[in-house]
Amino acid sequence: MTGHLYVIGLGPGDVQFRTGEAEAALADVAHVFGYKPYVARVAARAGLTRHASDNREEIDRAAAALTLAAAGEKVALVSGGDPGVFAMAAAACEAVEHGPAPWRTVPLTVVPGITAMLALAARVGAPLGHDFCAISLSDNLKPWDVIEMRLRAAARAGFAMAFYNPVSRARPWQLGRALDILREELPPTVPVIFGRAVTRPDEAIAIVPLADAISDMADMATCPIVGTAETRLVPRPDLPPLIYTPRTLAPAKVTP
Amino acid sequence: MTGHLYVIGLGPGDVQFRTGEAEAALADVAHVFGYKPYVARVAARAGLTRHASDNREEIDRAAAALTLAAAGEKVALVSGGDPGVFAMAAAACEAVEHGPAPWRTVPLTVVPGITAMLALAARVGAPLGHDFCAISLSDNLKPWDVIEMRLRAAARAGFAMAFYNPVSRARPWQLGRALDILREELPPTVPVIFGRAVTRPDEAIAIVPLADAISDMADMATCPIVGTAETRLVPRPDLPPLIYTPRTLAPAKVTP
């Protein structure tokens, strides 16, 4: 009997944004572990046990999944978005490294998904269309000084950026501070996009210049994207504007 | 008659890594435009005209697609990976901005896909598991000095990084120079992952320390990922190693 651990990205929410590979992996397992709202996205069926846990219990959850997989079960750990972007894939690898020896013998497959920043970018155009970075604003796992240093480095080097873990009840001031730092480094006109629950029924997207961006525009379900000094906002009649960061530092010639 | 332009991400290659949304959009159109190898991934069917073009003709391709969509046709522009990551979404937005007025009235939907760096990251663990950036090494569209500045900034700030457009016949030295720059900034033991044609039949993945990474390990179909000083390599008996960048700057305690 050979167990298997799948670490599966469920994408931004709407099942239409899941891959066939994710569906196939979910159909293959007897157990699903994950943060409650993600486990709730996996349909109940005979033969499937769903184990929902609280947020911030990533390592315990990975350990429970590995214990079952090492005992021969087929097990899924699910994440929203992509498991490799501030999600369960790193936690699973960490558990394998620091856990008991049998966990290293468990076949482990990470199944990628559409991560929040790319789902949001698609909704508004191509704000991450040139060099960009992804930064977690959570100072639970690294010191705030490191986050601040990375924000300044990314802004000065001209990267567009997306934020994960922007705000929570336990971390109320971090996003506001991040926006203040960026206002010291970037022009006030740089577009900031707040995308909440993208592809889900309660999707909401707001676009404001950096000068007007405030922390209250985001909650736990929001992915903020900050453009660069080159990012363009293209107004369209009767349609939302397109926002994109050009592929080039000089505008191209376009002929119909 | 209302036209529509879809800019669709086909994912890394294997159709199992496409989303349902991408399949639905492809089924809705009468025309598909794209770089030859991507158009070849879209199955022929009655009522579908496939327009394949050469690489580096992004703006002309977007213009042709917008012209047809503005005339009332349903049209797809396809990219490998995600269209918002160094691909057709920015080119389409650029064409809309600089093109004739009717193009701004065309409904435009960007359909995200699994981008190369996240497909590769999933194959080896979670090398992009903490703050990371994506950098194009092509100096066709921006000066090499900007690329060099961004490489140094990303390395000094502790970002993991993924490279797009790493090498081509016309750009033979850029990746080698980028690796030399990183050797000046990062420890020689930092893992570098060369992932070629991930999820396709000719997939090949090589993992080497930065000290040993050379440009010859990549071609046009390769996405190189460079870890950070914290990135871990976890050996496993009879399985390939796991590579991950920890979520935290201090190792977690793991109990089974």
Side-chain angles (χ1 to χ4, degrees), chain B residues 135-151:
Chain B
I135 302 177
S136 168
L137 295 188
S138 170
D139 55 354
N140 290 334
L141 297 168
K142 67 182 176 237
W144 177 257
D145 285 353
V146 171
I147 299 172
E148 179 159 337
M149 176 270 290
R150 289 183 181 162
L151 289 166

Side-chain angles (χ1 to χ4, degrees), chain A residues 97 142 150 157 232 244, chain B residues 97 131 142 150 157 232 244:
Chain A
E97 180 174 22
K142 66 181 175 236
R150 287 181 183 164
R232 307 286 303 163
Y244 77 102
Chain B
E97 180 174 21
D131 300 336
K142 67 182 176 237
R150 289 183 181 162
R232 307 285 305 163
Y244 77 101

Side-chain angles (χ1 to χ4, degrees), chain A residues 130-151:
Chain A
H130 202 67
D131 299 337
F132 69 95
C133 63
I135 301 177
S136 170
L137 296 189
S138 169
D139 55 354
N140 290 334
L141 298 167
K142 66 181 175 236
W144 179 257
D145 285 354
V146 171
I147 298 172
E148 180 160 337
M149 176 271 289
R150 287 181 183 164
L151 289 167

Side-chain angles (χ1 to χ4, degrees), chain B residues 38-136:
Chain B
Y38 303 140
V39 169
R41 286 194 208 162
V42 179
R45 61 173 164 79
L48 179 71
T49 306
R50 299 187 296 173
H51 309 258
S53 47
D54 277 339
N55 208 353
R56 298 176 57 180
E57 298 182 359
E58 290 89 353
I59 287 291
D60 292 344
R61 190 187 299 150
L66 279 159
T67 300
L68 267 182
E73 298 282 344
K74 292 188 176 176
V75 182
L77 271 170
V78 293
S79 285
D82 183 287
V85 180
F86 306 110
M88 287 306 299
C93 292
E94 201 175 311
V96 170
E97 180 174 21
H98 300 289
W103 291 1
R104 294 197 187 208
T105 67
V106 172
L108 190 157
T109 304
V110 179
V111 181
I114 304 294
T115 186
M117 66 179 166
L118 298 181
L120 172 58
R123 281 295 206 241
V124 300
L128 305 176
H130 202 68
D131 300 336
F132 69 94
C133 63
I135 302 177
S136 168

